[in-house]
Amino acid sequence: MWLATFASQSLFVASPPPVRAPQRAPAPQLSEDLDMALLRRRVDAVSRGEAGARLFDLDPMVPGQRLVLPAPAAFVDVCRAATNAEGVLCMFGRQGLRINSHGVEVEVESIGDADARGGAEVALRAGRLCRAFESGAEEGSRWLGRQARVRWVAIDGAEAVEGATESLGPVTEAATAELLASLGPLVEEWISLLRSTSRERSPGQLDAVLDDLGPLPGESRPNARALWVAGLINPLPALGVALEVRPAALMAATADERIRVAEFGLRDSIQRLRSPGP
């Protein structure tokens, strides 16, 4: 808190007038107690892997996914501010009125030319996994989001994630380890079926999805492997050939559960692709 004291001066008429040195107001002083308390809170938050964020519930993205959407002016303004390092943006899914527990940080890749109303095409890239432990009310529109506090989560224990103080756990069940190994051949079958049945929504969609996600993580990274599969069969834009498994994969309590979700969704989608019809 800044304190300022202004000295009042009296005017004396005399002959000759006395020469007085001008009085100077005391220099404003910063309240050290308040400043140090704020600094301590920030340091404590960083040590706990916490960050303030603006949370949006437009799509349950998984790390690596890329979302391109036509956005109104309000959302474009938020994205422009984020590109100037003015805040953290996070994307979460929702079930009814309830926000999912886990989501991702998103980075603004690009903002297109503004239309007559200030809207523009915005491209977002999903990055660090996070868990929301506080969130405020929606501020009038889903495009404005809400204030939240999040903690960064390492997807697999050995993975280095900036600021992460939480981590998704390892596989603990032998049966799950077998499912984990089966994901590789199933992914190859799924990709082959998708190409042969011409189910892409636009030419080159699958190649773009694979480019965004990168290579399939190895079995030593079970959680990343399961989330990758979820992102493959539930791409952006959606293909309509799979159950929506991303929220369940993101919020699974254990690695075993996460892998079962991914394996079930993948096998179910393969059956859908084998079936005739659109």
Side-chain angles (χ1 to χ4, degrees), residues 177-236:
E178 295 177 6
L179 292 181
L180 183 65
S182 73
L183 291 180
L186 289 174
V187 164
E188 292 179 2
E189 182 179 359
W190 186 91
I191 290 174
S192 176
L193 281 169
L194 189 75
R195 294 192 191 281
S196 64
T197 55
S198 303
R199 302 294 284 271
E200 294 172 275
R201 291 183 60 175
S202 59
Q205 182 184 5
L206 178 57
D207 288 336
V209 169
L210 292 171
D211 186 58
D212 288 341
L213 293 175
L216 173 66
E219 295 176 37
S220 63
R221 301 177 61 206
N223 293 291
R225 192 172 173 92
L227 291 172
W228 189 98
V229 169
L232 175 69
I233 65 176
N234 295 147
L236 299 169

Side-chain angles (χ1 to χ4, degrees), residues 9 24 33 47 63 78 91 95 103 109 111 115 122 149 168 177 183 206 211 223 225 227 253 263 267-268 273:
Q9 299 183 2
R24 300 175 62 183
D33 289 343
S47 67
V78 173
M91 189 70 69
Q95 296 177 331
E109 276 198 341
I111 300 175
D115 59 26
V122 174
R149 292 197 64 77
L168 303 181
L183 291 180
L206 178 57
D211 186 58
N223 293 291
R225 192 172 173 92
L227 291 172
E263 190 264 352
R267 287 189 183 278
D268 177 81
L273 289 169

Side-chain angles (χ1 to χ4, degrees), residues 52-78:
R54 180 148 291 272
L55 186 153
F56 295 89
D57 56 16
L58 305 177
D59 193 274
M61 300 173 73
V62 297
Q65 285 195 306
R66 185 171 182 265
L67 175 63
V68 180
L69 72 165
F75 188 71
V76 171
D77 289 344
V78 173

